[in-house]
Amino acid sequence: MKILTVDDSRTMREMLRMALIKAGFNVVAAVDGEHGLEMLQECGADVIITDINMPKLDGFGFIERVREDGAHRATPILVLTTESDQAKKDRARRAGATGWIVKPFHPDRLVEAIRRVAA
Amino acid sequence: MDEFEEIKATFFQECDELLADLESGLLAMESGGRDPETVNAVFRAVHSVKGGAGAFGLEPLVRYAHVFETLMDEIRAGRIEAETDLVRVLLRAADVLADHVSAARTNGQADDAASAAMVAELEAWTRGEAAATPAEAVAPAADDEDDFGFKPAAVSFDFDTPAPAAAATWRVTFTPSPALYAKANEPGLLLRELARLGTVTAELDDHQIPPLDALDPEGAYLTWHVTLATAADETAIREVFEFVDGDCDLHIEREGAASSSCDVDISALLAAAQAAPGEPALPQAVTAPDDIDISALLAAAKADVAQDPPAASPAPAAPPIARADPAAAKAAPARPAASESQVPQSTIRVDPERIDRLIDLVGELVINQAMLAQRVAAHGFAPSSDISMGLDELEQLTRAIQDGVMAIRAQPVKSVFQRMPRLVREVASQTRKQARLIMEGEGTEVDKTVIERLSDPITHMLRNALDHGLESPEERIAAGKAAEGTVRLAALHRSGRIVIEVQDDGAGINRPRVRQIAIDKGLIAPDATLTDDETDNLIFLPGFSTASQVSDISGRGVGMDVVRRSVQALGGRISIASRPGEGSTFTLSLPLTLAVLDGMVVDVAGQTLVVPLTAIVESLRPKTGEVRALGPQGAVLAVRDTFVRLIDIGCALGFRDTAIRPDEGVVLLIESEDGSRFALVADAIQGQRQVVIKSLEANYRQVDGIAAATILGDGRVALIIDVDALVAVRREPSRSPEPLSFAAE
């Protein structure tokens, strides 16, 4: 299974990569929303994990763009952010997020969230 | 280093970048840049520090960053205006954040009091109380901990062992709405999660499915009735449906007795669930036949999804948005196409030791190549012979490799410069002065070996500029200057060296006072005649600055003489120029690298010496008439329309007592750091060569006039001349300020 991670923080990208690869996933990483759309176009993904606060195109915008794109509209998207407050979660869900992972995440938690949205 | 530690190292590296971004963003805000992107970038920097810190359980850092971030969020949302006073507070807050980061990095302790005070200040601003009443340092609320503290996953599944004996039976009724499908959630996966909690019996209720002609392909018509026997509590069950809360009807109730007897065939259930949304014609209830081929079913379901827009997808199947495909593809022409686990990055990280080792090896290669060339020449091969020409090519390649390897290790001075705005802020507030720091040439590149040694002298020069250079705001106003002083920190390349300038617009050096101190300390005779320059440079004399002169801010107990010595040990120089009432400029110059040097190899009194090529303006063979005696010892050389003082290298270094006749040797016209010119006399020139610098200090001891040593092609050691030091030795005791003034005499 291929996971696309979208996060502007190198640390988070590395954390995700380590946890996901250990869990046996393939990982594609993007550094912001715009880059995420490009990578999705180029590489595709079975699950997308995205940050919210990012330069260029933020997580909300990214999710909306993925959902309005015919090819990937059914791809599960997990929002990854430290903001556990309801407003952010609600907004992400309105944009079309499938689920979320609250940072800091335990690798098991991450895998569990992916399992919950992907076959 | 294990992977976790590596990522942690990455985190701290990223923190450095984020803190630099934070500071430059805030400085931009301070000078009026309040556009959303700047404010956003500042917010993100704090946010990312917090995010990473949370991942590593760095609690104090997380807590502090959270308070900072909350205020930035208010500013970002426009609820609080980023007035100048507030931005100044934020700049100090950034400093405290940097303290927290470095404390976390060293497993140390941040200054709790400073942090608590800043937290109170930030919280006051967040509450809209501009005048920060240092309220009680509010302990983070308990739910903060839940949100931001690191805690292990609350639920952990043991997948290999069977679910624990059921303690209770739950009835779960689950009716997805269309919105659930629109967000790419799948009921089948949720049921699978439920099954992990215990044993599950599921029944699919499809009574709501309308006749085919009335069926909305985007609609949702199914309900599952699940009986779950589990030891898990209701929270754990609800957690399974966390993502679809609000997008489904969900009823969970506990039954009285446990009945774990009926096993369910999950795979059949899964298959049904998978197929159900798009295939309302499937069996009405899961009957769990033993021979069901799950993978085939799953494959079929997936194939359907792939062919058509999934039945579960939202809204009228809009045509694919055209811009997404070609535009995005064009936007990234440089990126190689679809490779898995492709991480976009334009840099690679390499252990510096590997590069150092490479540089050492290349240094050996240079020496080896030179030895080879010398042997070939000794065997009488003509320069036009194949062997000699091949060697020339080898030399060029060696040089290219060396340049390339050195370039890998070159870094912009930004990494040192970026720490300085904070230093200036702190020293300014400690000394009650107002100062603005202007930085120039941050992109100037210099070898890593040099960059590491730049920080201390720059720090010292800046402290000095603020503490001793700038006047107090009152004094400045009285002198007709702006209350805020300006300190300029600049880096530039000049004649193969890196030059750092620290310039202030303060009062300049107080020469009578410096002179008095020097006399009091017995450094000069009370009746000594000194030029202004010489007076200024007294501050570099050992023993000039002591604890009583140097406040703890400037010196940390270190005098300028120590700074100068450490700079000289690197082949560098430090000088000062000052104008009363207008300010002072400290100039520090260092070689670009401490590894190699382009040199002119010369013979002097039977010795082989190397003169750094960067210092040489030209070499010439003077005619008898061009040399004029000047006093009993000195002589000058007429070079075009000026006169330049002649210095015999052999005499200057003590190799011989009597200078050779300049017209019998060769003259190297050199330019010293301050721009003045001298003529060095050598016996003969061997040629230009790149030499590998070997520290004389590390292997022998410091020698005046000698910068370092090298190993020549024939294996012999040659000394590398420190031209400026050599000239300085010759200038004393009282030198004329400008050698060019000879021309007027």
Side-chain angles (χ1 to χ4, degrees):
Chain A
M1 196 187 303
K2 195 192 307 182
I3 317 275
L4 168 65
T5 65
V6 188
D7 200 313
D8 60 327
S9 155
R10 196 164 72 230
T11 309
M12 284 319 292
R13 287 199 302 274
E14 288 283 301
M15 296 279 295
L16 286 167
R17 191 180 55 80
M18 179 180 82
L20 292 171
I21 283 175
K22 277 210 172 117
F25 298 109
N26 288 319
V27 183
V28 178
V31 299
D32 58 48
E34 274 180 19
H35 189 207
L37 290 174
E38 283 170 22
M39 296 304 275
L40 186 61
Q41 206 67 44
E42 279 185 24
C43 313
D46 298 301
V47 175
I48 299 166
I49 299 176
T50 181
D51 189 21
I52 286 185
N53 291 293
M54 292 183 291
K56 292 189 185 167
L57 180 62
D58 68 11
F60 303 126
F62 170 73
I63 295 167
E64 278 163 13
R65 295 272 292 272
V66 173
R67 286 286 175 252
E68 67 193 30
D69 165 11
H72 303 289
R73 62 196 301 192
T75 308
I77 304 176
L78 294 170
V79 176
L80 179 62
T81 172
T82 43
E83 272 128 330
S84 59
D85 70 288
Q86 203 54 41
K88 286 260 162 50
K89 249 192 244 173
D90 288 349
R91 202 174 148 202
R93 291 187 68 197
R94 276 201 304 280
T98 313
W100 57 87
I101 301 160
V102 175
K103 287 193 276 189
F105 58 85
H106 189 281
D108 291 349
R109 229 21 208 301
L110 180 69
V111 173
E112 190 193 323
I114 292 169
R115 209 180 52 218
R116 213 182 276 179
V117 298
Chain B
M1 198 162 30
D2 74 9
E3 219 171 339
F4 189 76
E5 285 302 314
E6 251 174 62
I7 296 179
K8 204 165 173 181
T10 303
F11 166 64
F12 284 119
Q13 222 172 44
E14 192 177 20
C15 274
D16 289 341
E17 293 159 26
L18 291 168
L19 288 170
D21 290 349
L22 174 61
E23 179 153 33
S24 58
L26 287 172
L27 288 173
M29 285 172 72
E30 192 186 22
S31 46
R34 312 268 159 91
D35 58 291
E37 194 34 55
T38 304
V39 179
N40 251 323
V42 168
F43 170 83
R44 272 201 313 273
V46 181
H47 175 77
S48 291
V49 169
K50 187 182 95 172
F56 296 103
L58 306 170
E59 288 287 346
L61 177 54
V62 172
R63 280 181 210 295
Y64 178 77
H66 177 56
V67 177
F68 196 166
E69 182 196 31
T70 307
L71 177 54
M72 279 316 304
D73 202 22
E74 292 294 304
I75 295 169
R76 186 171 70 144
R79 288 188 287 270
I80 292 178
E81 201 209 333
E83 52 190 289
T84 308
D85 281 353
L86 175 52
V87 176
R88 297 228 162 109
V89 171
L90 295 175
L91 274 165
R92 283 190 289 114
D95 294 343
V96 177
L97 183 65
D99 287 343
H100 270 288
V101 168
S102 58
R105 190 193 305 239
T106 56
N107 293 321
Q109 185 77 32
D111 183 345
D112 277 343
S115 176
M118 184 48 77
V119 164
E121 206 170 338
L122 291 174
E123 283 175 339
W125 278 93
T126 306
R127 287 192 303 268
E129 302 159 18
T133 46
E136 71 291 6
V138 188
D143 63 0
D144 268 7
E145 222 161 313
D146 285 339
D147 291 353
F148 305 103
F150 178 82
K151 54 168 186 171
V155 182
S156 74
F157 296 109
D158 196 344
F159 301 132
D160 296 330
T161 55
T169 299
W170 301 78
R171 286 201 66 82
V172 179
T173 310
F174 170 47
T175 311
S177 73
L180 182 145
Y181 299 110
K183 291 170 188 160
N185 272 301
E186 291 221 38
L189 297 171
L190 297 173
L191 295 179
R192 186 176 68 177
E193 286 305 302
L194 268 190
R196 286 177 185 272
L197 296 179
T199 33
V200 154
T201 315
E203 205 178 289
L204 175 64
D205 174 357
D206 65 354
H207 288 107
Q208 298 301 316
I209 296 178
L212 198 57
D213 55 352
L215 184 119
D216 174 6
E218 310 279 335
Y221 305 102
L222 303 176
T223 296
W224 279 269
H225 300 286
V226 182
T227 311
L228 169 66
T230 179
D233 61 3
E234 185 173 340
T235 315
I237 299 170
R238 289 209 174 269
E239 207 171 355
V240 168
F241 295 93
E242 193 186 8
F243 292 166
V244 296
D245 183 29
D247 292 336
C248 66
D249 268 342
L250 183 67
H251 298 285
I252 299 174
E253 55 191 46
R254 190 182 166 142
E255 269 184 10
S259 63
S260 58
S261 54
C262 49
D263 282 0
V264 76
D265 184 330
I266 296 301
S267 11
L269 172 68
L270 236 186
Q274 196 88 29
E279 304 273 345
L282 261 202
Q284 297 205 345
V286 177
T287 47
D290 285 331
D291 57 350
I292 191 162
D293 184 344
I294 303 307
S295 32
L297 258 177
L298 268 175
K302 280 214 189 278
D304 282 352
V305 171
Q307 271 164 16
D308 311 309
S313 299
I321 311 297
R323 58 147 176 75
D325 309 40
K330 266 185 212 146
R335 251 177 224 116
S339 86
E340 303 243 312
S341 75
Q342 171 194 29
V343 182
Q345 51 183 27
S346 53
T347 55
I348 51 164
R349 281 180 291 136
V350 181
D351 187 346
E353 273 175 26
R354 290 193 190 181
I355 296 176
D356 294 349
R357 172 85 185 121
L358 196 57
I359 284 174
D360 280 352
L361 283 173
V362 172
E364 300 299 322
L365 184 65
V366 168
I367 292 174
N368 214 279
Q369 185 269 331
M371 286 169 92
L372 198 55
Q374 210 156 359
R375 280 179 207 166
V376 165
H379 279 78
F381 287 96
S384 59
S385 66
D386 284 352
I387 284 202
S388 297
M389 281 164 67
L391 266 176
D392 282 350
E393 274 173 41
L394 180 64
E395 185 183 349
Q396 282 170 21
L397 283 174
T398 311
R399 226 164 216 281
I401 292 175
Q402 192 164 37
D403 289 349
V405 174
M406 293 305 294
I408 293 177
R409 211 169 56 168
Q411 292 174 341
V413 293
K414 189 179 177 195
S415 59
V416 176
F417 273 28
Q418 69 190 16
R419 300 201 285 270
M420 299 307 159
R422 167 173 195 179
L423 176 91
V424 168
R425 278 198 296 281
E426 285 180 353
V427 176
S429 88
Q430 284 169 34
T431 54
R432 301 188 181 285
K433 287 175 183 171
Q434 293 177 22
R436 193 163 60 98
L437 177 67
I438 299 173
M439 297 198 290
E440 291 167 15
E442 293 152 277
T444 309
E445 285 196 340
V446 61
D447 189 58
K448 182 179 133 282
T449 49
V450 177
I451 241 172
E452 288 162 355
R453 320 263 194 122
L454 278 178
S455 181
D456 278 355
I458 292 179
T459 304
H460 200 92
M461 291 191 295
L462 276 178
R463 282 173 183 273
N464 200 76
L466 266 95
D467 196 15
H468 299 310
L470 293 185
E471 317 90 326
S472 69
E474 300 77 32
E475 285 167 337
R476 290 184 64 89
I477 290 166
K481 297 178 178 178
E484 187 179 62
T486 303
V487 178
R488 189 175 137 271
L489 172 62
L492 55 145
H493 282 160
R494 186 189 289 155
S495 50
R497 299 172 73 88
I498 180 162
V499 175
I500 306 283
E501 287 178 356
V502 173
Q503 186 180 34
D504 66 66
D505 66 347
I509 286 193
N510 184 342
R511 290 187 181 126
R513 189 163 158 262
V514 164
R515 187 189 161 87
Q516 194 52 51
I517 291 171
I519 292 170
D520 291 350
K521 294 193 174 294
L523 299 171
I524 55 170
D527 58 349
T529 325
L530 297 175
T531 64
D532 288 348
D533 249 15
E534 284 166 334
T535 309
D536 292 348
N537 280 282
L538 286 174
I539 64 166
F540 292 115
L541 283 183
F544 177 82
S545 46
T546 64
S548 65
Q549 264 72 44
V550 179
S551 68
D552 58 338
I553 293 160
S554 294
R556 285 179 294 177
V558 178
M560 288 306 281
D561 62 313
V562 176
V563 176
R564 182 162 76 161
R565 268 214 303 282
S566 68
V567 166
Q568 278 174 340
L570 297 170
R573 273 172 295 282
I574 186 167
S575 61
I576 181 168
S578 177
R579 298 175 82 99
E582 289 176 32
S584 314
T585 305
F586 279 90
T587 306
L588 165 72
S589 112
L590 285 171
L592 286 180
T593 171
L594 302 177
V596 287
L597 173 97
D598 280 313
M600 179 81 84
V601 183
V602 296
D603 291 326
V604 174
Q607 302 281 330
T608 306
L609 300 171
V610 179
V611 182
L613 212 52
T614 50
I616 300 176
V617 181
E618 60 179 293
S619 52
L620 39 99
R621 201 173 275 279
K623 297 185 187 72
T624 317
E626 290 168 348
V627 179
R628 308 233 183 117
L630 190 80
Q633 294 285 318
V636 293
L637 175 70
V639 180
R640 288 175 281 275
D641 52 354
T642 67
F643 289 93
V644 180
R645 194 156 61 104
L646 281 161
I647 298 169
D648 185 282
I649 300 176
C651 293
L653 293 177
F655 291 143
R656 61 183 164 217
D657 295 329
T658 321
I660 61 161
R661 287 171 54 97
D663 51 343
E664 287 173 358
V666 281
V667 163
L668 304 175
L669 198 60
I670 60 146
E671 190 170 88
S672 71
E673 199 53 47
D674 56 11
S676 51
R677 292 190 170 192
F678 296 85
L680 297 185
V681 183
D683 300 9
I685 288 177
Q686 282 189 15
Q688 290 179 15
R689 203 161 301 163
Q690 191 165 53
V691 296
V692 179
I693 299 174
K694 304 281 180 191
S695 163
L696 198 59
E697 252 193 345
N699 297 301
Y700 178 56
R701 64 178 173 82
Q702 204 195 325
V703 178
D704 280 346
I706 301 296
T710 188
I711 300 167
L712 293 174
D714 58 7
R716 284 189 302 138
V717 171
L719 298 176
I720 302 172
I721 292 176
D722 181 342
V723 170
D724 288 65
L726 189 75
V727 167
V729 169
R730 296 296 300 163
R731 277 189 213 172
E732 285 163 5
S734 71
R735 63 176 174 90
S736 303
E738 283 296 325
L740 290 179
S741 63
F742 281 113
E745 288 170 14

